[in-house]
Amino acid sequence: MAFDAEELPRDLTAFDRGVIVGGLSAQERDWLVAQRQAWASQCGGRHEDPDDLVDRHEVPIFPSHWSSFPDFPFAPSAEHASRRDVTEVARNCAKDDWVPLLVASLAWGWGTRGFGPTRLSWILHGSSRWEAHARPEINRRLAAAIGDLEAGGAAAAYRRLHHEEPIPGLGPAFFTKLLYFADRARPGPARSLILDARLAALMRSIWQARAGQPYAEGARSAAWLWRGPRWTPYRYEVYLTFMNRAGDQLSETGERWTPDLVELLLFRHRPSVGVDVR
């Protein structure tokens, strides 16, 4: 499908619109194609379908760290959790009980880092900084946001958990993971995407590379636009729009790309190693 700038959100700033309309540079496209080839090779070289490539992304976990949570959905002997595994948790959740997906999303997101169980305990039971909602209310808010995915799209679901009906302790870096997996479990292509500090840093790099363009004149800096950790609903919609644009561009070669494959390949890139995706 040909890109149509007229279909972009009407409230985009000139800087954001310019970056999205311009899309990926040739160097960025080449970099992503190379990253896809490397990931496919790491997966055995026989996984050309983008959904399969995304499914196979796994992270190491320590189930013993989560043993105090009865809703932990993975086996005590599990050493890794993949995107496919967490999506399956979402498929198996009762429509009025999304806490197992909350636990799975945090376990997958934190990996072997030790703070995850403490953060989950604060979300479910409160902390010195906030009082937790009771479990039925947490589930109601999660169910409402997940319902928004179908009724209003990923941006509507983000707005609900961002400020309309937030869950204390659950910020965008992790509630976008939960929404992403809930969306993947639904029929059809997923529209929600993960946005965390690593991905925001890469967006900042992409925006910064265009800071000298005429459309960026007078705009706030890329660092200010992509600062976190509570990215505005507007910034999340800009992110979704750019990632969909990137997937469409890359698919023009005849090889199918999805926005979450672009997200995965960016997520696997660590800015600290000094690789320039521009």
Side-chain angles (χ1 to χ4, degrees):
M1 180 182 297
F3 173 70
D4 185 356
E6 293 300 316
E7 296 182 358
L8 292 174
R10 296 294 181 183
D11 62 344
L12 287 175
T13 67
F15 193 3
D16 292 331
R17 178 176 289 273
V19 174
I20 293 167
V21 170
L24 296 169
S25 68
Q27 293 87 348
E28 289 160 351
R29 289 195 298 270
D30 290 346
W31 184 87
L32 282 161
V33 169
Q35 292 300 307
R36 176 174 179 158
Q37 293 169 348
W39 178 239
S41 177
Q42 187 174 328
C43 292
R46 298 181 302 278
H47 306 280
E48 298 180 359
D49 181 76
D51 297 322
D52 189 36
L53 288 171
V54 171
D55 269 343
R56 293 173 69 85
H57 175 223
E58 62 182 19
V59 298
I61 60 171
F62 289 152
S64 60
H65 289 181
W66 304 87
S67 59
S68 62
F69 300 99
D71 294 290
F72 182 71
F74 304 124
S77 59
E79 296 181 351
H80 296 85
S82 68
R83 294 198 186 205
R84 177 187 286 127
D85 295 332
V86 185
T87 302
E88 195 60 28
V89 173
R91 289 196 181 100
N92 292 331
C93 278
K95 298 309 177 186
D96 60 350
D97 187 6
W98 293 99
V99 170
L101 179 59
L102 173 64
V103 177
S105 299
L106 265 74
W108 180 85
W110 281 100
T112 56
R113 293 173 293 164
F115 186 68
T118 299
R119 169 64 65 173
L120 179 59
S121 180
W122 289 354
I123 293 169
L124 296 177
H125 308 298
S127 73
S128 60
R129 296 168 55 193
W130 61 75
E131 183 177 347
H133 292 300
R135 180 172 177 137
E137 178 61 13
I138 291 174
N139 270 314
R140 188 196 67 76
R141 294 184 180 215
L142 292 176
I146 291 166
D148 286 339
L149 291 171
E150 183 168 359
Y158 187 96
R159 284 195 301 272
R160 185 180 293 274
L161 291 179
H162 181 272
H163 63 269
E164 294 175 354
E165 292 192 301
I167 295 171
L170 184 62
F174 283 91
F175 75 61
T176 58
K177 292 177 175 64
L178 182 145
L179 292 173
Y180 166 72
F181 288 115
D183 207 10
R184 280 197 97 215
R186 298 170 52 246
R191 294 176 292 173
S192 187
L193 292 173
I194 297 167
L195 176 59
D196 59 18
R198 185 185 302 183
L199 288 157
L202 285 158
M203 292 298 103
R204 181 170 63 246
S205 175
I206 290 170
W207 258 246
Q208 183 59 43
R210 285 113 169 122
Q213 295 295 323
Y215 55 69
E217 185 176 353
R220 291 184 180 272
S221 70
W224 190 93
L225 293 175
W226 290 100
R227 75 196 190 287
R230 293 195 62 81
W231 302 277
T232 64
Y234 167 83
R235 185 55 41 194
Y236 184 65
E237 190 168 9
V238 168
Y239 171 68
L240 293 176
T241 306
F242 178 81
M243 296 293 272
N244 277 276
R245 169 79 166 123
D248 289 344
Q249 273 187 285
L250 290 159
S251 295
E252 290 172 0
T253 62
E255 188 174 43
R256 189 169 76 91
W257 285 72
T258 58
D260 61 338
L261 177 57
V262 179
E263 175 264 299
L264 163 62
L265 297 175
L266 290 172
F267 178 83
R268 292 182 68 243
H269 167 64
R270 296 177 182 270
S272 60
V273 302
V275 175
D276 188 353
V277 303
R278 295 174 291 177

